[in-house]
């Protein structure tokens, strides 16, 4: 089977420009426009899975910007916006990843914007404005971070430590039954590794793998908008990605880790059937 044709470089440049613009503007709105009395506007899967008025405002801004710049493109967003396209490009957007962190004033939240071409992510941007960091990647061009010293730098996963010294991140679902099962998996893994982290925003965790701040990350239950941009950024930084045995990252399980950590992490998750409730 032949490999997919390489995307047009000019198109990739355009998509990156749109993604950066959308993420920066939405991030500025969220950072500067957060009301002092921010409240929950709605709940999704459970009473602790929340939407705020700022999630909705960010989604509206991104949708309108992309619609004006690329009207023939498709769009899939977390807060319900979805439209078909005719260009072969689809935008997959989480306008506020880490809503609970944002609600509580914690800094680990982000705007995640990915562009897919014929079903494959080719551009990914994750902007974490409270951390002053803008992560971005283009398929085949590597991943980069803007923010902090130096101002812009290429990203690379950290060298793999022994399994017992690996720092692993994860996340949890919002349904009680799933959380019980996820706690069982966590309980089995925790004695085996250096430590476990739970920051509360999948896109940020994936970028932290890319930046060498984590050795690996796994989570069950991620939606396309949770992982699309972050997975591309991690992969372009050298991380290996997968899910259940024989599958890529999906809603059942997403695994991202530096080579040398990915293999034992996925092996242990498979033995624990981490994708089951």
């Amino acid at each position: 089977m032949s490999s997919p044709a390489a995307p047009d470089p000019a198109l990739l440049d355009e998509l990156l420009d749109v993604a950066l613009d959308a993420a920066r503007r939405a991030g500025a709105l969220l950072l500067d426009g957060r009301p002092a009395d921010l409240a929950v506007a709605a709940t999704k899967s459970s009473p602790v899975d929340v939407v705020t008025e700022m999630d909705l405002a960010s989604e509206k801004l991104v949708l309108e910007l992309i619609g004006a710049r690329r009207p023939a493109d498709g769009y899939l967003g977390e807060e319900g916006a979805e439209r078909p396209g005719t260009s072969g490009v689809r935008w997959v957007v989480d306008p506020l990843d880490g809503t609970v962190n944002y609600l509580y004033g914690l800094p680990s939240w982000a705007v995640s914007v990915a562009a897919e071409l014929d079903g494959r992510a080719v551009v990914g941007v994750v902007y974490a404005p409270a951390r002053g960091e803008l992560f971005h990647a283009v398929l085949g061009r590597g991943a980069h971070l803007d923010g902090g010293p130096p101002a812009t730098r290429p990203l690379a996963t950290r060298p793999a430590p022994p399994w017992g010294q690996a720092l692993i991140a994860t996340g949890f679902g919002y349904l009680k039954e799933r959380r019980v099962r996820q706690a069982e998996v966590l309980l089995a893994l925790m004695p085996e590794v250096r430590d476990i982290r739970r920051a509360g925003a999948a896109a940020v965790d994936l970028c932290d793998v890319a930046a060498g701040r984590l050795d690996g990350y796994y989570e069950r239950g991620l939606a396309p908008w949770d992982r699309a941009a972050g997975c591309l950024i991690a992969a372009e930084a050298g991380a290996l990605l997968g899910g259940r045995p024989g599958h890529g990252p999906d809603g059942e399980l997403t695994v991202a880790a530096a080579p040398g950590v990915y293999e034992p992490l996925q092996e242990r998750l498979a033995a624990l059937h981490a994708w089951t409730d």
Side-chain angles (χ1 to χ4, degrees):
M1 181 182 295
S2 60
S3 300
D8 175 28
L11 174 61
L12 294 180
D13 290 342
E14 179 184 355
L15 297 178
L16 178 61
D17 183 65
V18 172
L20 288 169
D21 194 16
R24 286 184 176 123
R25 292 194 189 191
L29 170 73
L30 291 165
L31 188 64
D32 299 335
R34 185 185 188 279
D37 59 347
L38 180 66
V40 173
T43 59
K44 293 182 278 190
S45 62
S46 78
V48 295
D49 186 7
V50 299
V51 180
T52 71
E53 61 191 278
M54 297 304 290
D55 294 70
L56 302 173
S58 178
E59 174 105 302
K60 182 175 184 292
L61 185 155
V62 173
L63 183 60
E64 289 178 352
L65 186 150
I66 291 174
R69 297 272 298 270
R70 303 265 318 169
D73 293 351
Y75 185 95
L76 176 65
E78 180 179 17
E79 305 313 331
E82 183 173 4
R83 71 181 183 212
T86 58
S87 66
V89 173
R90 182 177 77 156
W91 296 90
V92 183
V93 176
D94 192 337
L96 177 48
D97 182 44
T99 299
V100 173
N101 285 345
Y102 183 77
L103 181 65
Y104 277 76
L106 295 169
S108 286
W109 53 269
V111 180
S112 176
V113 181
E116 296 179 342
L117 180 60
D118 299 326
R120 176 175 58 162
V122 295
V123 166
V125 173
V126 174
Y127 182 33
R131 297 188 356 173
E133 295 183 328
L134 179 71
F135 300 87
H136 52 94
V138 176
L139 183 67
R141 298 186 190 175
H144 295 82
L145 168 60
D146 298 345
T152 300
R153 65 180 177 91
L155 296 178
T157 56
R158 66 187 296 115
W163 174 240
Q165 296 174 24
L167 182 64
I168 305 298
T170 191
F172 307 115
Y174 291 103
L175 298 176
K176 178 180 177 181
E177 296 77 10
R178 176 162 294 180
R179 287 184 168 198
V180 169
R181 177 71 182 116
Q182 288 172 322
E184 292 171 352
V185 173
L186 182 67
L187 185 63
L189 283 179
M190 187 171 285
E192 301 180 10
V193 297
R194 182 188 299 275
D195 209 347
I196 302 287
R197 293 288 182 267
R198 192 280 198 269
V204 176
D205 282 337
L206 287 162
C207 289
D208 281 344
V209 172
R213 298 166 179 166
L214 297 168
D215 296 306
Y217 162 78
Y218 75 93
E219 189 162 350
R220 167 160 164 70
L222 295 186
W225 46 79
D226 295 316
R227 63 180 187 269
C231 279
L232 178 63
I233 292 166
E236 286 293 320
L240 300 178
L241 284 98
R244 296 165 291 160
H247 294 77
D250 61 20
E252 297 302 313
L253 185 65
T254 295
V255 185
V261 173
Y262 175 83
E263 296 84 356
L265 176 58
Q266 191 183 51
E267 181 180 340
R268 288 297 291 127
L269 294 171
L272 293 165
H273 297 278
W275 57 91
T276 61
D277 290 336

